[in-house]
Amino acid sequence: MDMETADTGAHAKFVLNGPEEDFDPRITAHRGDLADIALAGKLFAPHYAAAMPMRCSAPKAMVRKQPGKDHEAISELLHGEDFHVLDIAGDWAWGYCGNDGYVGYVPVHALQHEKKTPEPTHLIFARAALIFIEPDFKSGVMKRLPMGARIACGEPSECGNYLKSGKGYVHVRHVQPIGTKVVFDGSNGTAALAEQLIGAPYLWGGRSGDGLDCSGLIQMILMLTGITAPRDSDQQLAALGEDIAEDEELRRGDLVFFPNHVGLMVDKDRIIHATAHAMQVVIEPLADTVARFAKISDKPVLARKRLS
């Protein structure tokens, strides 16, 4: 599709020629009446809007396919993450997540303009972290943030065990500077991080330490080790790692992809994943997972991939 723009003073006139480009609606901010101004040269819409930069101020907020808490959750926005708002109607904001471009609706009350919130400096890499009123684990708790949340941290406390965060304090063992590549077990730490989440409930659309789905687990633990990953398992299959030869043995940290599912190897024989079968994060023999998918698919394993 070609687009010609004619400047007509205060307004620009768009002339579209040819077919629209194909697009993935999950990561393309385009709906029947409105689209992101960045798409003006690619997709037609009656109106375009420039995104307003917002940030999640709640511990977490579900991203939904349609406005309304009863509609399907498709992802989750975590504390401190950016959300680019294109439209607000009532209690819901429509836009896209800053970390992966995922499009959906978020409750307005969970957002604040980024100019009114400090730039996050650290990630929660424990399963959850408490924000204390004072730099003392015996003091009151202000709030609880899940693994994956982003916070702005300042100077350490006098004892050195806590970092100032807003009006409270977070323990230094629960956070890491954004961009840090964590090493737990001689590798990139993905398996060790995932093991912290054993027993966490399976939550469709979830991607935090409080509940997650299969691809949400992979996306979050990769983020904590400094690797950017897309949201869904099919996107991760296309974007992550290198194929492992069929005759090569799997090892800790390898990814295994199934139809609409993904998990991470903890050793050559066992996989950790967030699975609706168990409704939680579990470790089980890879052979058991393959056997279940073999009942519904002629190709139970789509790919085995190794991260560099």
Side-chain angles (χ1 to χ4, degrees):
M1 178 179 67
D2 296 320
M3 184 187 77
E4 296 176 0
T5 304
D7 190 346
T8 57
H11 301 281
K13 181 179 179 181
F14 300 101
V15 179
L16 305 177
N17 298 301
E20 292 185 328
E21 295 182 4
D22 292 333
F23 67 95
D24 184 341
R26 295 172 295 180
I27 54 172
T28 308
H30 180 282
R31 65 186 194 191
D33 63 327
L34 183 66
D36 185 357
I37 189 66
L39 299 174
K42 302 175 182 178
L43 299 171
F44 173 78
H47 304 283
Y48 298 96
M52 178 168 57
M54 304 284 276
R55 190 167 284 144
C56 184
S57 56
K60 57 187 184 297
M62 299 307 297
V63 181
R64 299 190 182 276
K65 186 174 289 187
Q66 296 293 334
K69 63 182 181 180
D70 295 331
H71 286 283
E72 180 186 350
I74 53 176
S75 192
E76 191 170 31
L77 191 68
L78 305 184
H79 185 276
E81 289 186 329
D82 293 335
F83 189 76
H84 303 282
V85 175
L86 295 167
D87 185 36
I88 295 177
D91 297 331
W92 294 87
W94 178 71
Y96 56 96
C97 302
N99 67 302
D100 56 19
Y102 224 79
V103 177
Y105 291 84
V106 173
V108 171
H109 66 75
L111 303 173
Q112 283 190 343
H113 197 283
E114 68 171 17
K115 291 183 179 179
K116 296 183 179 181
T117 60
E119 185 72 23
T121 60
H122 288 68
L123 284 163
I124 305 297
F125 78 96
R127 182 164 173 174
L130 302 178
I131 309 300
F132 296 94
I133 296 173
E134 301 292 340
D136 182 349
F137 63 82
K138 294 180 181 179
S139 74
V141 174
M142 296 177 59
K143 58 185 173 182
R144 178 184 186 275
L145 295 176
M147 178 185 278
R150 296 167 179 249
I151 59 174
C153 292
E155 294 299 315
S157 61
E158 187 175 338
C159 67
N161 292 329
Y162 295 84
L163 296 175
K164 180 72 173 173
S165 180
K167 297 181 180 180
Y169 295 84
V170 63
H171 201 283
V172 294
R173 293 199 182 102
H174 290 166
V175 295
Q176 67 182 41
I178 291 174
T180 301
K181 293 190 176 182
V182 179
V183 176
F184 284 99
D185 52 7
S187 65
N188 61 12
T190 51
L193 282 165
E195 286 167 339
Q196 292 191 55
L197 294 164
I198 293 171
Y202 180 88
L203 175 64
W204 180 260
R207 49 182 293 271
S208 82
D210 291 340
L212 23 64
D213 58 26
C214 66
S215 55
L217 170 65
I218 299 303
Q219 185 191 49
M220 182 177 63
I221 61 176
L222 290 183
M223 174 182 68
L224 292 174
T225 58
I227 300 171
T228 300
R231 178 63 182 88
D232 290 341
S233 61
D234 64 315
Q235 298 169 323
Q236 293 172 0
L237 172 60
L240 298 175
E242 300 294 333
D243 288 324
I244 301 170
E246 291 186 10
D247 60 350
E248 188 172 354
E249 195 172 75
L250 290 167
R251 65 190 189 201
R252 185 172 173 86
D254 288 341
L255 297 173
V256 181
F257 290 89
F258 310 86
N260 300 312
H261 190 69
V262 60
L264 183 83
M265 300 302 293
V266 297
D267 56 38
K268 65 183 181 65
D269 297 315
R270 297 180 303 152
I271 191 170
I272 184 168
H273 54 159
T275 168
H277 175 74
M279 287 304 295
Q280 62 181 324
V281 177
V282 297
I283 293 177
E284 66 175 347
L286 175 62
D288 291 356
T289 310
V290 173
R292 285 199 301 274
F293 277 94
K295 294 178 181 178
I296 59 173
S297 175
D298 293 335
K299 189 175 182 181
V301 176
L302 300 181
R304 309 185 313 159
K305 292 205 162 185
R306 180 161 296 154
L307 301 169
S308 57

